[in-house]
Amino acid sequence: MAGDSFFAELRKRRVFRAAAIYGAVAWGLTEVIVTIVEQLYLPAWVATLSVIVFVVGFPVAMFLAWTFDITASGIQRTEISSRRGAVSIAGSMLLLVLGTGGLFLLIRPAMEQADPGADEIALRPHSIAVLPFENVSRREDDFYLSEGLSDELRDQLGRVQGLQIAARSSSIAARNQAIGATRMAASLGVAYLVEGSLRRNGPRLGISVQLIDGRTGLAAWSGNYERGRLELLEVQQEVAQQLVAFVLPDSSSLDAPSPATLNATANDLLYLARREMNAVRSRQEVDTEKLLKAISLYRQATRADPQSALAHSRLASALLYLGDIEAAEAPILTALSLNPELSEVQNTLGEFHWARGEPGATAAFGAAVELNPNNVDALHNLAHLRWIRTKDHFSEPSPEQLYRRAVELDPLTLSRHSALGDLLGKNGQWDAVPPVISDIQERFDSAESYRAIGWLYELTGEIDRAIAWTLKARQLEPDNPDHVDKLAYLFGLIGDAETALRLTPSPSIGLLYHLRRYEELIDIAELRMIDEPDDIEVRVVLAFAYVATGAHEAAIRILSATGLPDTVLNDQARSLVEFNGFFILFDALAGSGIPEAVELGRQLAEWNENEAWWGDIGAIAVGRGCTRAVLGQHEKALEVLARLSESRRLADMPSLLDSWCFQQYKDEPVYRAMVDEQLSRRQALRERLPATLAEFGLSWP
């Protein structure tokens, strides 16, 4: 048989043995090459090329094994045993060649996708990402050293004028993706990567640092050090100096800024404290034990080096995170007296003022950004505060510019993208929201990112897609009750009370608000006030429920306890919730019927009308319309309400239907047309929802 002849020829010519030997050698050499590429930080295409060579070489080796044989007399050509064997082998060689070609067709798309040259991505000049240093020894006691060294080096380089530094969170995320150096640089948009490792050799530590060119993946500079634990400060300073000299060769000053401390003991304590603090910030729920440990270590660092402004600043920041605002005052003031020219100090000062509701927060965050344009936390804080505070809304750089800068420096952190999208959606820049959604989809794949996408669709009025993405989040985290509550809220938003209540038999305050079930809301919110007396959001919703049920004096009393209206009038508001409370307050005052209260409500409405930043489109239009209604400017109020149809975002129906200021318009054709238009939108969304869910491969909840 042909098959017998074929295998007889293979055995005679020892092709099986040659194939086994070739496969073993090729596999072993590939493993060695991959290891060398990783350790020497060579470009990834070196390993890829070796695989290609071995694949191409396989049919060649098999042909040589078939044609020649090694004997005692040397290499000799092997004769074919039969004509049938010759035909079988010829066919087999053809199949082998075709199979090799097919293999290349299969791997070619992946090779092209992995090739950074195929998709030219602009890398910012003079930019660096300091990746987390690896603790090669894997000793638990040494992790704080490798993490602390990379973190402190990143902060130190961030203070260099003209150098752009990728944020810590994105640098960690990029390292965790386990991709090649060039792709990592492209995802971060940086020209250089700093990689390092720490290995314990008895009492000594071996530190290796490399500067990797983001375009080629090759090491542009490297350094190796062997030091004791308390000598890492010297390594940090020398590495920073070398990196600045290499990346900014034309800079007038090549001196790296000073580290957080020049005291070795304090530096070691800062490394320890920072690791604990990073662990606290990475969790959604505060680990009080770790937070208190971090505070204790920061206190020890300030005692070891009383002249370290950053040690005092970080102590204050940790205390603010704990919520101990008064205890944070002394260390932040000390840090400010030691060195007010540090961005981190100014940012913590801004957080301190913000926590106390003081107007100095905006100036402090602005100073932090000016001192260090790489400080993403300061960029984020300044953007948020400038947007919600009326006097700073049109300052330069604008909130949008600040958020975009934060995204550029921290592209792998979801909250940066979410904040930008939130701003654009609430500003009525709806066409700018889809690109943000696309970026989130491309970079993230988690329940948290799905919820973020859902929120952005909610801002653009596409509640059906918001529901779909929330359902996807629920699929990833079926035991997370927050997803169910959000789904119920969204169904309530489009007027599907039946589905909303079926999802959550114990409705949240937000859902009760949208369902306009105010008596139930009041009962629940009043109990919540006992357990959470400082929750301003609960107070604001409860106050609205009081207004909707005619209890104006109760609404005034509960809002006054939050510091309103002074927080808004004195530019001390910390969130949009306070502005919503401000609207409800002057509406309650105007509707109370008490002459003094009515006059005060009119004065507050007049102040609000004079604030130019309030727009006439979107959610803000409801507040604007109420303002003019309280002032008796009825034609202008109806004009604003008519423009709600221009907004893609759904209007707040409870405010439109149940605010005191709009009660006088119930028979006005313009008002009725606006309400009918909003209700028809909700009906259209309910009808469109099944098709949208089918598009996502989802079923009705």
Side-chain angles (χ1 to χ4, degrees):
M1 294 178 64
D4 294 337
S5 299
F6 168 61
F7 287 108
E9 290 292 342
L10 290 180
R11 286 192 295 270
K12 174 183 176 182
R13 297 165 186 271
R14 299 183 177 89
V15 174
F16 289 130
R17 184 180 66 177
I21 294 173
Y22 185 91
V25 172
W27 180 270
L29 287 176
T30 301
E31 290 294 314
V32 171
I33 292 171
V34 169
T35 301
I36 292 174
V37 167
E38 291 178 349
Q39 294 301 317
L40 297 182
Y41 298 96
L42 298 175
W45 60 259
V46 174
T48 303
L49 180 61
S50 68
V51 175
I52 293 173
V53 169
F54 289 133
V55 172
V56 172
F58 182 70
V60 175
M62 295 305 96
F63 176 78
L64 293 175
W66 163 258
T67 307
F68 300 97
D69 191 13
I70 300 176
T71 68
S73 303
I75 299 176
Q76 296 181 355
R77 187 179 182 89
T78 307
E79 297 297 331
I80 301 176
S81 300
S82 66
R83 182 179 300 175
R84 183 175 294 177
V87 173
S88 300
I89 291 302
S92 301
M93 291 302 296
L94 177 61
L95 290 174
L96 185 61
V97 172
L98 292 175
T100 303
L103 177 61
F104 273 109
L105 290 176
L106 287 173
I107 67 175
R108 181 180 177 184
M111 292 169 58
E112 290 179 346
Q113 183 179 5
D115 180 14
D119 184 16
E120 289 295 332
I121 299 177
L123 303 182
R124 300 189 303 275
H126 311 310
S127 57
I128 290 181
V130 180
L131 305 176
F133 284 14
E134 183 181 4
N135 176 16
V136 179
S137 304
R138 311 301 297 175
R139 282 173 48 115
E140 185 64 30
D141 293 345
D142 291 339
F143 275 106
Y144 84 95
L145 296 171
S146 57
E147 292 176 9
L149 180 56
S150 55
D151 284 346
E152 291 295 333
L153 180 62
R154 184 184 302 108
D155 285 354
Q156 191 174 354
L157 292 173
R159 297 193 291 274
V160 177
Q161 291 294 323
L163 201 59
Q164 298 185 65
I165 307 297
R168 177 183 186 273
S169 52
S170 281
S171 299
I172 293 174
R175 166 64 84 186
N176 291 340
Q177 289 177 352
I179 55 180
T182 52
R183 289 182 60 194
M184 198 180 302
S187 68
L188 294 169
V190 296
Y192 296 96
L193 301 171
V194 178
E195 298 185 326
S197 62
L198 181 145
R199 183 190 300 274
R200 178 168 290 281
N201 299 315
R204 309 286 284 175
L205 296 170
I207 302 99
S208 175
V209 184
Q210 297 83 28
L211 179 68
I212 311 298
D213 189 314
R215 295 193 182 278
T216 66
L218 298 173
W221 171 85
S222 64
N224 292 284
Y225 311 86
E226 187 169 338
R227 298 286 193 277
R229 179 173 59 86
L230 295 180
E231 297 174 297
L232 289 183
L233 187 58
E234 301 173 11
V235 176
Q236 178 186 323
Q237 186 69 359
E238 184 174 341
V239 170
Q241 193 78 30
Q242 293 287 346
L243 294 176
V244 171
F246 189 94
V247 180
L248 296 175
D250 300 325
S251 176
S252 58
S253 176
L254 298 180
D255 292 332
S258 298
T261 177
L262 297 177
N263 181 286
T265 300
N267 187 64
D268 192 61
L269 289 165
L270 288 176
Y271 281 11
L272 282 165
R274 187 158 192 163
R275 183 163 199 240
E276 298 296 332
M277 200 65 207
N278 287 339
V280 171
R281 293 182 184 276
S282 65
R283 296 171 58 92
Q284 290 185 345
E285 296 181 1
V286 177
D287 187 331
T288 306
E289 183 178 348
K290 281 186 174 295
L291 180 54
L292 291 175
K293 185 177 180 181
I295 290 171
S296 175
L297 290 165
Y298 278 135
R299 287 195 191 280
Q300 294 176 52
T302 60
R303 289 195 289 268
D305 184 4
Q307 299 304 307
S308 172
L310 287 175
H312 290 282
S313 176
R314 291 174 190 176
L315 171 59
S317 181
L319 288 166
L320 288 172
Y321 203 89
L322 181 65
D324 195 344
I325 301 173
E326 298 308 315
E329 183 174 10
I332 188 54
L333 293 180
T334 301
L336 198 63
S337 67
L338 290 170
N339 193 346
E341 300 302 312
L342 289 175
S343 176
E344 188 176 325
V345 171
Q346 289 292 339
N347 186 59
T348 305
L349 177 63
E351 291 175 344
F352 175 71
H353 286 313
W354 194 350
R356 296 182 63 166
E358 297 173 347
T362 305
F365 289 142
V369 170
E370 186 175 350
L371 288 167
N372 181 7
N374 297 311
N375 191 333
V376 290
D377 290 332
L379 287 164
H380 194 106
N381 290 337
L382 180 61
H384 180 67
L385 211 52
R386 277 189 174 173
W387 186 58
I388 67 171
R389 290 192 173 176
T390 57
K391 293 180 181 178
D392 304 311
H393 194 65
F394 294 109
S395 301
E396 290 292 334
S398 68
E400 180 182 346
Q401 291 171 327
L402 291 165
Y403 275 135
R404 289 194 182 278
R405 171 67 175 164
V407 168
E408 184 181 65
L409 292 172
D410 201 4
L412 300 183
T413 296
L414 176 61
S415 61
R416 310 300 181 194
H417 297 269
S418 300
L420 174 60
D422 182 75
L423 171 77
L424 296 171
K426 289 178 178 175
N427 271 357
Q429 298 169 256
W430 297 292
D431 290 335
V433 175
V436 177
I437 292 175
S438 296
D439 284 344
I440 293 175
Q441 287 183 254
E442 181 180 346
R443 295 177 182 274
F444 308 97
D445 185 19
S446 64
E448 185 182 6
S449 67
Y450 294 170
R451 283 285 295 272
I453 293 171
W455 166 244
L456 296 183
Y457 275 122
E458 184 181 339
L459 289 177
T460 59
E462 299 173 85
I463 310 301
D464 54 331
R465 293 192 170 272
I467 290 173
W469 282 98
T470 307
L471 279 170
K472 285 169 64 70
R474 185 188 181 190
Q475 285 182 337
L476 287 184
E477 296 179 345
D479 297 328
N480 189 336
D482 291 343
H483 302 322
V484 177
D485 288 342
K486 183 63 177 181
L487 281 171
Y489 166 85
L490 291 170
F491 277 100
L493 193 60
I494 61 174
D496 188 349
E498 181 182 350
T499 302
L501 294 173
R502 179 164 51 83
L503 285 167
T504 173
S506 300
S508 65
I509 290 177
L511 176 57
L512 291 172
Y513 170 81
H514 281 287
L515 295 182
R516 301 170 64 203
R517 297 169 66 154
Y518 300 121
E519 297 294 345
E520 294 175 59
L521 189 159
I522 290 171
D523 290 341
I524 296 174
E526 286 180 340
L527 290 175
R528 282 272 298 276
M529 287 293 302
I530 297 173
D531 297 330
E532 303 171 43
D534 297 327
D535 191 331
I536 187 171
E537 189 167 0
V538 174
R539 285 180 175 270
V540 169
V541 176
L542 177 58
F544 181 83
Y546 283 143
V547 171
T549 54
H552 296 89
E553 293 185 39
I556 295 168
R557 183 176 63 256
I558 199 167
L559 288 174
S560 298
T562 67
L564 288 170
D566 293 344
T567 52
V568 172
L569 296 176
N570 297 330
D571 204 28
Q572 297 175 333
R574 289 168 288 184
S575 68
L576 289 179
V577 173
E578 290 172 271
F579 284 102
N580 291 335
F582 184 77
F583 290 136
I584 296 168
L585 178 60
F586 70 67
D587 186 47
L589 289 165
S592 67
I594 304 172
E596 297 82 358
V598 171
E599 178 58 27
L600 177 58
R602 180 180 175 82
Q603 291 175 9
L604 295 179
E606 187 172 359
W607 178 91
N608 188 67
E609 175 68 8
N610 292 330
E611 293 301 315
W613 78 277
W614 294 109
D616 287 343
I617 300 177
I620 297 302
V622 177
R624 184 85 165 188
C626 188
T627 299
R628 291 175 172 176
V630 169
L631 292 174
Q633 301 173 5
H634 303 304
E635 289 187 7
K636 290 184 177 181
L638 291 171
E639 179 184 342
V640 171
L641 293 178
R643 296 192 64 189
L644 282 173
S645 61
E646 301 174 28
S647 172
R648 295 185 194 174
R649 187 181 181 186
L650 294 181
D652 184 358
M653 290 302 289
S655 293
L656 285 173
L657 296 173
D658 301 318
S659 294
W660 175 87
C661 55
F662 295 135
Q663 298 301 308
Q664 55 196 313
Y665 300 141
K666 285 188 175 182
D667 296 327
E668 289 286 343
V670 172
Y671 175 81
R672 291 307 318 167
M674 179 272 301
V675 170
D676 290 342
E677 190 270 341
Q678 289 292 322
L679 292 175
S680 67
R681 276 205 218 181
R682 286 159 172 78
Q683 176 64 30
L685 285 165
R686 294 196 297 272
E687 294 173 354
R688 195 172 71 196
L689 181 58
T692 302
L693 295 182
E695 177 187 335
F696 281 79
L698 299 167
S699 58
W700 193 269

